[in-house]
Amino acid sequence: MKPIYRLFTFFLLSGTTLIAQERALDRADSQYERYSFKLAQDIYQKVFDRGYMDAEMLKKLGNTYYFNAEYTQAAQVYDSLISRFSGDAEAEYYFRFAQALKSLGEEGRASDMMAEFARKSRSLTDARVQKYEAREDYLASIEANSGRGSLDTFYFNSSYSDFAPAFGPDSSLIFSSDRDTGNLARYRHTWNARDFLDLYRVDSLTRKGSTVTKVDGVNSRYHESTSALSADGNTLYFTRNNLVENKRASDNEGVVRLKIYRALKVDGAWASIEELPFNDDSYSVAHPALSPDGKVLYFASDMTGGRGQSDLWRVQIREDGTFSSPENLGPKINTEARETFPFVSADNVLYFASDGHPGLGGLDIFATKIEYLPYGGKVQNVGRPVNSEMDDFTFIISDSLGYFASNRPGGMGDDDIYAFRQQQALEFDCIQKITGTVRDRFSNEPLSGTTIRVIDEENNEVSSSITNADGEYEILVDCNRGNFIRATRDQYIPSEEFLEPSDGKPRIVDFYLEPENVLAGLGDDLAKLLQLSTIYFDFDRYNIRPDAEIEIQKVIAAMEKYPSLKIKANSHTDSRGPDAYNLWLSQKRAEATVNYMISKGISADRLNGEGFGETRLINACDDGVSCTEAEHQLNRRSEFIIQD
């Protein structure tokens, strides 16, 4: 897959005693740093063949083969590096050696190199190390997904590189190729000494005699590749070399990066070509893909904030044609290696190529449900025959017909496009995000430190989470089956809710936990714990008002729920009237409250009442102070104090 890596120059790539050899290596290093891998490779190889080598030269020589998918040569050079200079070989070179060996079918040695990679890796968070340590039987998983379809011949390949298929209008297909440029002078790229890429179109995949023609209006002297067409056929996103005033522009290190451009159809022709605003001269942005509704653009980039050599990202496309800030697709998708060439199918399955997830060798095609990102969802290797020991990439599918590219043996050129007829779709985990808040039922205060557990229908604990300082939690469930969401906290009665199997859309499940023993709040006003409205009385009256009756019923319900609960009803008056009269009136209000509760079935030995007159005013409405009626009423109240 030679052109693919020259299209994605994101990699952070890492003398001899004779003067001639030193000068040769200096020239090679200069070419290498400019990603002119083919020129550098020729020099390094000649020096290597003459018996001169050191660790740095072997790393660079191996990389020139590895990033051009020449895995046989890469394995030979990495073998020399590790056998002769193991102390100078970083963990990454064991990973690349393992990938090259897998492409050659040497699974045993590849496994040994992965074990050494895991041992030497300094990053315990490296997803590749984590997957290896988990000892997943990934080969069995790949085989389980294999055989779901068959390959068909694609009649429009050439002896050059053909890849990056994209669906066009009216059963047409757009793809990238370095076949005839249409120029007398053929421009060659020094990454691998091949011609620059252009976008081509097959007018109809179903009509015999269809011809391959260039896509008018978007091709330049340099690279154009990996395109995505809007559903209405009027907007084309594509990858191109960084051009300024129709000339290649490089970054501070002399590297020409990649950018995504957008072309609009005007009077039947592509025009108004502009680069997207999140491009940058200091990193590459490439390989666009659109969501089914056309509102999200997915792409690959090595921009700051990524996890690996290239990550998958997305932006929202606003109604006015502007874009949101890029969002990384997260660690479920992205590893420390290469994730690239995204495609989203009509049923919201994200397909992409990666050599960081466990595969058969080189780049493999993987898939996951897009709606589960970035929180969960299993990433699946799509299996054979799409994947092979070589590089497999740029997968697209509509209904049951798909296309992808591969550099596997037996093709016409370096890369060939293959048609794939799917007989059985992949089965995906259904991952649902559940969020919510846990609060005290009486005080409504958020309960931090509450444990949230997912319990399956066989009563097995599947996962758990802890609420944060605001009582909030987030947890994932398997929505293909029923689950209990259970909230537990010390000194509170557990609560749970059963969730039926669902379509996986996010849900909010809030919990209101009741204390195990309300007596833990001795001396507290139960009305506050129960969030009751204040029990008010009319002026110079002690009868129970209808609005107060509703609130007292809530106190009665709490006492019925907690048989050991005892309550003292404290009643109060406002400041108007003689002190002695107010004390008598408040006592009558307390007795009226208690008698009402006894009449509703609460035992008298659990109740008592006391009047406090105007001795406990809650505002400044004292004797002689002018206050409104509403302000005076605030003092005509009853409280329910928890007793021992």
Side-chain angles (χ1 to χ4, degrees), residues 47-120:
V47 174
F48 177 76
D49 291 341
R50 292 169 184 167
Y52 297 96
M53 67 188 71
D54 62 12
E56 289 305 308
M57 190 200 79
L58 290 175
K59 292 176 187 177
K60 293 175 180 177
L61 177 58
N63 289 338
T64 66
Y65 287 121
Y66 183 80
F67 291 128
N68 275 308
E70 297 173 302
Y71 294 125
T72 299
Q73 297 91 328
Q76 292 172 353
V77 177
Y78 289 146
D79 196 2
S80 295
L81 169 66
I82 289 171
S83 61
R84 293 171 181 260
F85 305 101
S86 59
D88 296 320
E90 294 88 349
E92 193 67 30
Y93 290 93
Y94 286 85
F95 176 78
R96 292 175 188 168
F97 189 22
Q99 291 298 102
L101 289 168
K102 282 200 291 184
S103 294
L104 302 178
E106 298 185 34
E107 192 62 43
R109 287 194 71 196
S111 180
D112 292 341
M113 290 303 106
M114 280 300 296
E116 190 64 16
F117 163 70
R119 189 187 70 81
K120 290 178 71 72

Side-chain angles (χ1 to χ4, degrees), residues 574-596:
D574 61 33
S575 62
R576 293 175 294 182
D579 292 352
Y581 176 78
N582 284 339
L583 189 63
W584 173 84
L585 180 60
S586 65
Q587 183 62 38
K588 297 297 289 182
R589 288 174 175 172
E591 292 173 1
T593 301
V594 169
N595 289 336
Y596 176 85

Side-chain angles (χ1 to χ4, degrees), residues 95 114 117 121 123-134 136 307 330-337 339 356-358:
F95 176 78
M114 280 300 296
F117 163 70
S121 178
S123 174
L124 297 179
T125 61
D126 191 311
R128 296 168 297 176
V129 175
Q130 293 176 345
K131 291 177 185 297
Y132 174 79
E133 295 292 350
E136 297 175 350
R307 184 181 181 92
K332 285 288 185 179
I333 296 293
N334 294 314
T335 69
E336 285 71 12
E339 279 71 47
H357 294 273

